[in-house]
Amino acid sequence: MNTRRPTILDVARAAGVSKSTVSLVVRGSPTVKEDTAKQVREAMAATGYVYNRAAANLRKSSVGLIGLVINDLRNPFFTEFATSVQMALSAQGYATVISNSDEDGALQAQMVSSMIEHGVSAFIISPAYGQEAETFDQIARAGIPCLQVLRQVDPRGDLFPFATFDFARGGLLATQHLIEQGARNIAFVGGLEDRAVTTERMSGYLEALIGTGVQPTSFHGRATRAFGAEIAEKISRETPEIDAAVCFNDQVALGLLSGFARLGRRVGEDFRIVGFDDIEECNQVWPRLSSVDCDIAQFGRDAAAALLDWVETGQRPPALRRAPVSLAARETSLGIDPEGTSS
Amino acid sequence: MNTRRPTILDVARAAGVSKSTVSLVVRGSPTVKEDTAKQVREAMAATGYVYNRAAANLRKSSVGLIGLVINDLRNPFFTEFATSVQMALSAQGYATVISNSDEDGALQAQMVSSMIEHGVSAFIISPAYGQEAETFDQIARAGIPCLQVLRQVDPRGDLFPFATFDFARGGLLATQHLIEQGARNIAFVGGLEDRAVTTERMSGYLEALIGTGVQPTSFHGRATRAFGAEIAEKISRETPEIDAAVCFNDQVALGLLSGFARLGRRVGEDFRIVGFDDIEECNQVWPRLSSVDCDIAQFGRDAAAALLDWVETGQRPPALRRAPVSLAARETSLGIDPEGTSS
DNA sequence: TTATGGAATAGGAACGTTCCATTATCATGT
DNA sequence: ACATGATAATGGAACGTTCCTATTCCATAA
């Protein structure tokens, strides 16, 4: 089973040319005559040659590999993001290594270290909390470009450029919309307290509430469906006067939605919900979930482009970029239009 | 920015030992004296040394990298699978490269080729349809162990071992259960026609129907939420006598669920649904989705273990393994228990 | 003192590519 | 016939490890 793999040299012998020529053919250089190239290609097929990237990388400086580290791959928001980044990078001839830290800082540090050893040219990282220093110092020491997205946790804060969404404005839009829809008692649900990702969204929420007489309330916790469902119950039991919620993300909102469905409270009529991220599923539940639309696919493409610019031309992206957001209002906040059920 | 990275040789110089000794320390060999090892480690820290895996791989035969190719990473079923495999492999010191072919055979072939070049030691692949020959011939030519999971599409059919679930039995259990619950007109929903993944599930469904007088009906299409929702509408409009459905997977079932919610049909009472896979979300919607439980986490661990056995001891896994399934009955098939809303 | 042998360390070759500096080839103009 | 210059092809060094075969060191026994 383990006969030695043919190398560029075996191909060269078979084709009756030098190894340099084979190398040129492999890389599609235009300087080799078409006749020769064809012979070489035939020899490659005949010998069953496979390109050895490790050997090539040893000589070259760049590897064409980008590391993508995600903190929660079970959240569709991140899957959509990862998919979009991978597509954009592969269109430019880069391979993507996706890794899921699953909110485990130690695991993340270990994955980053392994990727550095494998010679990735750059990182896009939506970091987990914990072991920040270990994760980012490694990258900085190795001098590898790195784009931090969605969460800024690098210990010095200014080590790597950061791309995110305008979460504050999202919170503002969502809350204003709920007020316009007649909600009088709006809660903010989900997200761990004191994390920037949470406080930013909340700042918009709080701003919208100023002068309206509405009292802010918030329920903090992990951004999961389970937490959303739990809060639906808690609200029904303890603070039934709350009639609307701005959620940390769509996961929480969907949890809230099914929690209320279970309790028989009619979302869209008795209770209004706006989620955050606008994942595909928002359109696939009923009532459809209103959400702060983040155009995650575009965000992914932009991130990939900015990173490649950095890698290839040395053009470091701006330290901070906030992508705009908009509001996608659907049944959970507008109510259910008896006419409109056919679209 | 681009000063040459220190090598093992620089470390050796700094520590006053030979490069061989440094290499041994890097790999944690017990033959080097503790004093020396400590000096070397200090020198490594001082010089900012990072291990160059490409160079090591050039010399070693194995790389400790496993390729995981998934056909639809947006489906939570596969995300759960990928996460489980990655955990199991990383516990054994292997790194995992996850790639999403997104049901694109050409893309898949390209990803596989890139992974082979990067020197992965083995593959786990849940293949996309299309370009089967290209994908699998490459792997076979390179002599790399490969475990095919969930879908068997390799052109010769017996090229690589195949691990899957006992889908037929799942279809049988689901259908029998619906009959016991009093359903009289059970449809099979989702999955592309004439694909083994579909016909296997359907064979169980058809078997359960024998002698019951229930007429089989099926609606085929992509296994997405959108398709499920579409079929909910179609059933309501064209064949309202259908009172239950066995679904290709949970995505379809969840689509059906929200489709019916939208149309005001009460699932669990007027209409009974059983999904397939038992993803986490089954417990997080309301009514909770009954599903054929596949214990995907265990499946992932088993796949990882079988593959590593193959890689390390040459012990090729059995050509076919069907993991057992069971039924997780919940509200969408049992109906809503007015007492049981508190668990 | 001198063999002896095991533990610790050292040095050179090898891995399969790319890059660079050369050399061979060949049509063209004088 | 010869120089010219572009085009095509070549050979050797280099990349940073690991592996294998020495060599050195040192405690112990003769």
Side-chain angles (χ1 to χ4, degrees), chain B residues 8 23 27 49 51-52 55 59:
Chain B
I8 213 176
S23 176
R27 286 174 292 159
Y49 170 74
Y51 183 67
N52 183 334
R59 200 59 182 43

Side-chain angles (χ1 to χ4, degrees), chain A:
Chain A
M1 168 170 169
N2 254 334
T3 168
R4 196 179 58 82
R5 281 204 194 165
T7 77
I8 211 176
L9 219 72
D10 298 310
V11 176
R13 252 190 302 271
V17 297
S18 79
K19 62 180 170 38
S20 307
T21 306
V22 177
S23 175
L24 290 171
V25 171
V26 167
R27 287 173 291 158
S29 159
T31 69
V32 38
K33 227 189 335 193
E34 184 45 38
D35 291 358
T36 324
K38 206 175 115 226
Q39 280 188 348
V40 170
R41 273 191 288 269
E42 277 161 10
M44 283 179 16
T47 52
Y49 170 74
V50 321
Y51 183 67
N52 183 333
R53 219 170 263 275
N57 292 345
L58 187 55
R59 198 61 176 66
K60 288 196 299 191
S61 43
S62 164
V63 180
L65 239 195
I66 307 285
L68 177 58
V69 182
I70 295 292
N71 57 295
D72 178 12
L73 205 53
R74 273 184 274 234
N75 181 340
F77 176 72
F78 289 110
T79 334
E80 288 176 25
F81 173 64
T83 306
S84 145
V85 168
Q86 186 174 37
M87 296 293 162
L89 290 177
S90 101
Q92 300 297 313
Y94 284 80
T96 312
V97 189
I98 304 175
S99 241
N100 178 18
S101 69
D102 217 35
E103 299 291 7
D104 180 339
L107 189 57
Q108 167 177 284
Q110 184 192 311
M111 286 168 163
V112 163
S113 139
S114 154
M115 286 179 171
I116 293 177
E117 290 176 0
H118 278 287
V120 297
S121 316
F123 281 101
I124 294 183
I125 174 165
S126 168
Y129 292 101
Q131 238 96 333
E132 289 86 355
E134 217 157 315
T135 299
F136 286 97
D137 283 359
Q138 283 185 90
I139 302 177
R141 268 202 309 270
I144 296 176
C146 172
L147 187 62
Q148 213 174 163
V149 294
L150 302 166
R151 284 180 179 180
Q152 189 167 34
V153 312
D154 95 54
R156 301 180 221 167
D158 58 347
L159 210 43
F160 294 113
F162 174 51
T164 185
F165 288 101
D166 192 342
F167 290 129
R169 184 163 161 77
L172 180 73
L173 290 175
T175 313
Q176 283 177 339
H177 170 67
L178 287 171
I179 293 171
E180 279 164 24
Q181 293 299 311
R184 281 291 153 264
N185 229 314
I186 307 172
F188 184 93
V189 181
L192 295 177
E193 212 160 0
D194 296 329
R195 296 272 158 86
V197 279
T198 309
T199 55
E200 278 175 32
R201 286 164 169 87
M202 280 199 69
S203 75
Y205 160 79
L206 294 171
E207 183 186 342
L209 257 37
I210 291 172
T212 62
V214 179
Q215 278 305 310
T217 336
S218 55
F219 300 89
H220 293 289
R222 290 203 59 197
T224 62
R225 286 184 200 237
F227 180 74
E230 186 188 310
I231 294 306
E233 235 172 84
K234 183 164 181 163
I235 286 178
S236 291
R237 210 172 45 234
E238 298 175 10
T239 49
E241 70 277 11
I242 293 180
D243 60 357
V246 174
C247 296
F248 178 85
N249 69 8
D250 289 333
Q251 298 289 93
V252 173
L254 290 166
L256 213 50
L257 188 56
S258 65
F260 280 126
R262 177 171 189 169
L263 296 165
R265 194 148 171 188
R266 289 161 56 221
V267 173
E269 326 265 289
D270 314 339
F271 197 98
R272 295 170 195 276
I273 300 177
V274 178
F276 221 108
D277 293 346
D278 202 32
I279 62 177
E280 280 179 17
E281 204 178 332
C282 293
N283 273 304
Q284 296 166 340
V285 293
W286 188 259
R288 291 181 306 180
L289 180 62
S290 302
S291 191
V292 174
D293 178 0
C294 292
D295 200 347
I296 183 67
Q298 185 60 47
F299 183 77
R301 283 190 294 271
D302 289 347
L307 192 70
L308 287 190
D309 234 46
W310 191 357
V311 169
E312 290 178 352
T313 74
Q315 183 76 42
R316 188 186 167 107
L320 174 66
R321 192 181 108 79
R322 282 189 197 283
V325 299
S326 59
L327 189 76
R330 306 195 181 90
E331 285 80 6
T332 58
S333 64
L334 295 172
I336 295 165
D337 174 4
E339 306 293 310
T341 55
S342 69
S343 134

